[in-house]
């Protein structure tokens, strides 16, 4: 059911995530709407940055709603979980849900924000005299050169920018991440966040494919040399030292133990599970950016 009146509690067992632990029985659905929920997510992130660094998100939700009675905390947490499913097509909901469910580390969220800030800095650097005008073609060339964006990704972003700000050679950088009254950002910002998650997933899938080839003769196990070869194949322009740090993390060891690491086999599944948790900065591709053609204006909505 899309919006039930009640949820069924998962109980209070140790296997139940901290924010969903509640006495067995029914939990009222607060029927959270998208706009207010998006505002709530912003509040949670701001509060967590101030007083919850290092606290896993499930535990922090209990802390965040801690002034409420236990029954009300359960209502908020179960209703929030449901809203995250209802609005999962929104990148903000998607990444919050993935972190809450333990699929990725919170660092991925901060990495996504840093990426958006970098895009905004690039755009603002083109606004000479702070007049609210920047050249569209230069902007996308810089996204290709400085951030490794593909031509296809830039064309998609350009179409989204047309949707937000219309056609023309110039655009207003200050409008790129502007929010409406329901805390929704424009098509450009939403697509940029979606691309971040899509590129990350594609990277993981490509690494897993390369490692699967290496593990065929090793009964599903890999070694550090296999991992390094796979990471270099997928992201050849990143420094070897960065790849090694990723391997140390995924093999749960330290650089001091790297000699022993070289011959230590690890289950491919375990390696990929830790890699998917990690915030990965994909190296920018070397070479001159490809010429960017402006996207056509979007069709008018009927």
């Amino acid at each position: 059911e899309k919006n039930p009146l009640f949820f069924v509690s998962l109980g209070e067992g140790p296997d139940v995530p901290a924010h969903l632990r509640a006495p067995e029985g029914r939990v009222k659905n607060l029927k959270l709407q998208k706009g207010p929920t998006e505002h709530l997510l912003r509040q949670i992130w701001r509060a967590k940055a101030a007083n919850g660094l290092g606290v896993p998100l499930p535990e922090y939700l209990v802390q965040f709603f801690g002034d409420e009675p236990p029954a009300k905390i359960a209502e908020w947490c179960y209703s929030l979980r449901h809203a995250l499913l209802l609005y999962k097509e929104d990148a903000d909901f998607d990444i919050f849900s993935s972190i809450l469910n333990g699929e990725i580390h919170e660092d991925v969220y901060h990495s996504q924000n840093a990426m958006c800030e970098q895009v905004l800095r690039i755009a603002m650097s083109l606004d000479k005299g702070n007049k609210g005008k920047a050249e569209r073609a230069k902007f996308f060339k810089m996204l290709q050169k400085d951030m490794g964006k593909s031509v296809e990704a830039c064309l998609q972003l350009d179409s989204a920018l047309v949707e937000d700000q219309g056609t023309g050679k110039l655009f207003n950088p200050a409008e790129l991440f502007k929010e409406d009254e329901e805390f929704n950002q424009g098509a450009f910002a939403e697509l940029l966040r979606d691309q971040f998650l899509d590129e990350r997933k594609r990277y993981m899938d490509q690494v897993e494919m390369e490692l699967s080839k290496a593990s065929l003769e090793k009964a599903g196990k890999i070694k550090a040399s296999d991992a390094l070869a796979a990471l270099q194949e997928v992201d050849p322009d990143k420094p070897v030292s960065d790849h090694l740090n990723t391997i140390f993390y995924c093999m749960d060891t330290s650089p001091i133990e790297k000699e022993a690491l070289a011959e230590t086999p690890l289950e491919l599944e375990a390696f990929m599970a830790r890699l998917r948790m990690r915030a990965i900065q994909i190296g920018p591709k070397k070479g001159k950016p490809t010429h960017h053609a402006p996207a056509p204006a979007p069709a008018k909505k009927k």
Side-chain angles (χ1 to χ4, degrees), residues 202-212 227 230-231 234 268 271-272 275:
R202 186 160 53 248
Y203 175 90
M204 300 296 170
D205 290 346
Q206 289 173 345
V207 172
E208 184 169 24
M209 183 176 68
E210 291 297 323
L211 286 175
S212 294
L231 294 175
V234 174
L268 171 58
F271 183 93
M272 288 305 306
L275 182 64

Side-chain angles (χ1 to χ4, degrees), residues 10-238:
L10 298 176
E12 301 177 280
D15 294 334
V16 177
H19 65 298
L20 299 177
R21 291 174 191 162
E24 292 185 4
R26 299 196 305 180
V27 178
K28 181 182 176 181
N29 182 5
L30 300 178
K31 297 187 177 181
L32 303 175
Q33 299 301 304
K34 185 176 186 294
T37 306
E38 189 139 17
H39 181 54
L40 175 62
L41 297 185
R42 306 286 173 85
Q43 290 180 307
I44 292 170
W45 283 127
R46 282 196 294 267
K48 194 173 189 304
N51 55 37
L53 291 177
V55 181
L57 190 53
E59 283 82 351
Y60 184 73
L61 282 186
V62 179
Q63 180 180 325
F64 180 82
F65 295 117
D67 291 338
E68 302 279 3
K72 196 66 177 179
I73 294 176
E75 290 175 9
W76 274 111
C77 290
Y78 274 80
S79 298
L80 178 58
R81 181 184 67 160
H82 187 65
L84 292 172
L85 289 172
L86 284 179
Y87 311 121
K88 64 183 179 181
E89 296 306 316
D90 185 295
D92 292 329
F93 286 78
D94 186 19
I95 198 166
F96 192 97
S97 178
S98 296
I99 295 167
L100 188 61
N101 295 333
E103 297 166 10
I104 59 176
H105 194 275
E106 188 176 320
D107 287 348
V108 177
Y109 166 76
H110 298 299
S111 180
Q112 184 191 65
N113 283 345
M115 176 274 301
C116 291
E117 290 169 4
Q118 183 180 359
V119 169
L120 182 58
R121 283 196 300 271
I122 289 173
M124 296 301 290
S125 73
L126 297 172
D127 184 7
K128 306 302 181 184
N130 197 27
K131 297 178 180 178
K133 295 179 180 179
E135 288 189 35
R136 184 188 301 264
K138 284 185 179 180
F139 175 57
F140 287 107
K141 284 181 180 178
M142 289 182 71
L143 291 189
Q144 292 179 54
K145 178 177 179 290
D146 297 346
M147 300 190 65
K149 281 287 184 185
S150 68
V151 175
E152 180 182 4
C154 284
L155 286 171
Q156 293 170 351
L157 288 169
D158 196 6
S159 293
L161 188 55
V162 167
E163 185 177 334
D164 289 342
Q165 301 193 31
T167 57
K169 295 181 179 180
L170 303 176
F171 71 97
N172 186 351
E175 299 283 325
L176 287 180
F177 296 94
K178 187 177 179 180
E179 297 176 345
D180 63 19
E181 62 278 1
E182 294 209 345
F183 307 99
N184 293 311
Q185 294 181 324
F188 177 90
E190 292 292 342
L191 178 59
L192 185 68
R193 293 179 186 277
D194 285 337
Q195 285 184 350
F196 173 87
L197 296 177
D198 290 343
E199 288 164 5
R200 188 176 184 282
K201 182 181 184 302
R202 186 160 53 248
Y203 175 90
M204 300 296 170
D205 290 346
Q206 289 173 345
V207 172
E208 184 169 24
M209 183 176 68
E210 291 297 323
L211 286 175
S212 294
K213 300 173 186 175
S215 69
L216 286 176
E217 299 177 359
K218 303 184 181 74
K221 296 181 183 292
I222 60 168
K223 292 184 178 181
S225 56
D226 299 322
L228 180 59
L231 294 175
Q232 289 182 307
E233 176 67 25
V234 174
D235 195 359
D237 297 322
K238 181 179 285 186

